[in-house]
Amino acid sequence: MTTVTTLGQFIIEKQADFPYAKGELSRLLRDIGIAAKIVNREVNKAGLVDILGDNGTTNIQGEGQKKLDVYADEQFISALRSGGECCVVASEEHGDCIFIHSEISKNAKYIVCIDPLDGSSNIDVNVSVGTIFSIYRRTTTEGPVQLKEVLQQGVCQVAAGYVVYGSSAMLVYTTGKGVNGFTLDPSIGEFCLSHPNMQIPRNGVIYSINEGNYIKFPQGVKDYIKYCQVEDQITQRPFISRYVGSMVADIHRNLIKGGIFLYPTTSSHPKGKLRLMYECNPLAFIVEQAGGKATDGYCRILGIQPESLHQRTPIFIGSTEMVEKVEEFIRLSS
Ligand code: AHG
Ligand code: MN
Ligand code: MN
Ligand code: MN
């Protein structure tokens, strides 16, 4: 009889890693896990309930919101409000921070940045989507939390994770002491440890990029794509091209198999498309903790000093040797 370790048990077991924390971070992760199960329930029956399609509204990004974008956003914010451990939420779906003022949250010390539903374009076609979250501690206990406390470098995260709603629902997270993956067992309604101590292979043969933007990529990226496509037995090229269109799904695959995900600058997104605070930083924290690398082509993602809540950045993330190779091409071409 194999022993099952649930997410809740694991969090409590790992509690000892945080002498300063008195269970608050554990409770916060538990609250996120509960919201993830609720969202998964809707994702799983999306075709049968009125949760597909457009919501008829536009978010701060100028994106048409999907019903599931709004539903997921509501569920995670509600869980964070009622959990009492979070004092402010920065969500992809809201222009400004959501400050939580309630009796239960009056001493809350955690800041959460969240992409409630990642890969929205895939919702209506039954392709994997995800949720991404990033957790910081307040930088002061003086007075109400301020925006500048939210705009911390990624290296200051105390925890980060994602949920991938795919062939199974998985929650993968780190608190800075390695990466662990949990698979939802619907028969008991619990996320159970299935991928302990996840390590991304140092090298890989999968590259993941929207080649539709090729013509507008920086020259170094174009050179790297051509490098991936050239026959070479020693380096097992040509590499395999895989692109889901949900960042979480593409990075989750590379975390397990090895590979690189690239979202460079493009004509429609001259600063890159993906958002630093709730897509790039949390995924960079996870991939680095699993032994990989994440840069904007020149600098470590986790070292970028955020200037605004929804700022975007180019990102090259995955197996260290693959990220270093594309950095080499970018350097050579500049
Ligand atoms: P979101 O659905 O949260 O807005 O994120 C979508 C992102 C990311 O998940 C994915 O990697 C990328 O957009 C795909 O962009 P393209 O369709 O431009 O390739
Ligand atoms: Mn979006
Ligand atoms: Mn996203
Ligand atoms: Mn999103």
Side-chain angles (χ1 to χ4, degrees), residues 32 55 83 103 121 137 155 213 224-225 237 253 264 290 325:
I32 290 171
N55 194 56
E103 189 53 27
S121 62
R137 282 168 70 88
V155 70
N213 295 316
Y224 178 71
I225 292 172
R237 286 178 287 148
R253 177 203 54 241
K325 179 56 87 175

Side-chain angles (χ1 to χ4, degrees), residues 245-263:
S246 297
M247 189 180 188
V248 168
D250 279 315
I251 290 183
H252 181 68
R253 177 203 54 241
N254 292 350
L255 189 58
I256 292 172
K257 293 192 163 187
I260 183 170
F261 173 86
L262 310 90
Y263 209 108

